[in-house]
Amino acid sequence: MLITKIYQPSEVKQAAKELTLGELIAFPTETVYGLGADATNEQAVKRVYLAKGRPSDNPLIVTVASREMVKQYTGELPEAAVKLMDKFWPGPLTMVFPIKDGSLPKAVTGGLKTAAFRCPANQLTRTLIAEAGVPLVGPSANSSGKPSPTTAQHVYHDLEGRIAGVLDDGPTSVGVESTILDMSSKQPTILRPGAVSPQEIAAVLGQEVISDKHHVGQNEVPKAPGMKYKHYAPAAQVLIVAQDKWDAALAWAKDHANSVGIMASPQVISRAPGLNTYDLGADVVTASQHLFAGLRYFDDQAEVKWILAPAYPEEGLGEAYMNRLKKAAGNQFFEA
């Protein structure tokens, strides 16, 4: 079994060296921690699937340090993409482009003629990529299907002994993964909602953005992560609680006190004395930052069989938050 090392920011060159040797290094972004491998090394990429237990037809995001690195695989970028990069890169926007034939391994693309690219806002990770000299695949650094990691400790919990190391830059600031925008189709299409909203993208492009194409059929190959398989799910059943259902939900939780975990705002938690709670903060921004950490908190408690979590309006960041929460819950809502 591998010894998994926690690398500090001052050790970024050592972490980059491991990547050039074909090893797996988890890295921080502003959204969640990613599991890095040299995107041009097919054997290293295949080890990512093995480490995560991830289906091999689920394509991987290619994480880059600059837009110039993207051009090595796509050629010249369309004007619309350049506008979006000017506005949102580095940041939580991933874009899907057609790529040059054979420029990236099939293990990265899922056999498609496109690939998804992202330049994260985290400076340490951009330095890591620059030091390695190659783009990195960057799926979330967790066991496949489980809540995404927002700290180095989450990564270590899931992948100790399976990867060479984790580059630790503290907790992530956004907490839900990047928006994925398909720029390879006639009309820009959101494949996964995230911190950059369809409205923000449309304002830059001056055209409508399709935003309801988040799933594919069982026999289709997805263009981006999160479109086909169950994601973000702890062992317990998550139940989504609408704002007007909290009185009933808390009464039910009191009757099942030992087996229910409550993720909620301080206002709700104040009405649940003696119950097992996790503070998500007062609004959808903090709830998004802490959603995965909260799911992981209760996932470590074998006695918890149900997790109550708050619904938010599906607008702006709320669309990304509810997308992740619905997947964690299997779309199950609390019913009084």
Side-chain angles (χ1 to χ4, degrees):
M1 186 169 80
L2 280 172
I3 295 175
T4 301
K5 179 177 178 179
I6 303 290
Y7 287 95
Q8 298 307 310
S10 60
E11 300 173 299
V12 64
K13 288 187 177 182
Q14 295 95 304
K17 179 67 172 177
E18 293 286 346
L19 289 165
T20 64
L21 296 174
E23 297 293 345
L24 309 187
I25 297 290
F27 57 84
T29 75
E30 71 278 21
T31 57
V32 301
Y33 273 72
L35 180 53
D38 177 353
T40 68
N41 181 334
E42 186 159 22
Q43 292 309 308
V45 173
K46 286 179 177 179
R47 290 180 57 210
V48 169
Y49 288 103
L50 290 173
K52 284 178 59 68
R54 180 188 179 100
S56 61
D57 70 340
N58 206 3
L60 301 172
I61 290 173
V62 180
T63 309
V64 298
S66 65
R67 69 182 70 180
E68 286 70 29
M69 191 173 272
V70 178
K71 292 178 185 178
Q72 296 175 33
Y73 305 95
T74 64
E76 284 302 310
L77 295 165
E79 182 182 353
V82 172
K83 287 181 179 179
L84 291 171
M85 289 175 177
D86 287 342
K87 177 69 174 178
F88 299 114
W89 274 24
L93 177 65
T94 295
M95 287 183 274
V96 176
F97 299 113
I99 57 171
K100 299 173 185 176
D101 285 346
S103 62
L104 288 168
K106 183 178 178 181
V108 173
T109 64
L112 299 172
K113 295 183 182 299
T114 58
F117 294 88
R118 162 149 136 83
C119 182
N122 185 282
Q123 178 62 60
L124 183 62
T125 283
R126 297 202 306 276
T127 300
L128 175 73
I129 296 168
E131 289 286 347
V134 290
L136 306 179
V137 293
S140 55
N142 58 313
S143 297
S144 189
K146 288 298 183 180
S148 297
T150 54
T151 68
Q153 289 68 38
H154 292 162
V155 179
Y156 194 82
H157 176 278
D158 278 19
L159 300 180
E160 179 192 5
R162 298 192 225 170
I163 66 175
V166 185
L167 184 58
D168 187 357
D169 198 30
T172 63
S173 58
V174 176
V176 293
E177 296 90 344
S178 61
T179 303
I180 300 180
L181 180 68
D182 187 2
M183 295 295 288
S184 69
S185 54
K186 289 184 179 178
Q187 187 168 9
T189 303
I190 301 287
L191 302 182
R192 182 179 72 187
V196 180
S197 72
Q199 294 77 17
E200 290 175 301
I201 294 168
V204 172
L205 296 180
Q207 67 177 112
E208 184 183 354
V209 175
I210 299 170
S211 62
D212 60 352
K213 302 296 184 183
H214 305 159
H215 302 283
V216 299
Q218 194 58 39
N219 296 320
E220 294 180 73
V221 176
K223 278 190 174 180
M227 298 182 68
K228 185 172 182 178
Y229 298 99
K230 187 176 180 182
H231 273 60
Y232 321 120
Q237 173 62 54
V238 177
L239 298 174
I240 304 169
V241 183
Q243 189 172 358
D244 62 355
K245 298 281 189 180
W246 272 112
D247 285 341
L250 292 176
W252 176 80
K254 289 173 185 175
D255 290 337
H256 302 80
N258 293 330
S259 54
V260 178
I262 300 169
M263 297 167 52
S265 67
Q267 182 182 19
V268 170
I269 288 174
S270 69
R271 294 151 53 195
L275 296 180
N276 191 359
T277 61
Y278 186 92
D279 187 350
L280 283 183
D283 55 33
V284 71
V285 174
T286 56
S288 297
Q289 289 170 347
H290 301 302
L291 174 63
F292 293 139
L295 294 174
R296 284 177 168 273
Y297 173 78
F298 289 120
D299 210 20
D300 284 338
Q301 301 177 36
E303 69 277 11
V304 172
K305 305 302 180 187
W306 294 282
I307 301 172
L308 302 179
Y312 276 97
E314 295 188 45
E315 54 193 35
L317 184 59
E319 184 179 2
Y321 169 86
M322 289 300 293
N323 171 269
R324 307 314 192 271
L325 183 56
K326 285 180 177 180
K327 288 183 177 181
N331 214 32
Q332 296 296 304
F333 282 73
F334 174 82
E335 297 294 342

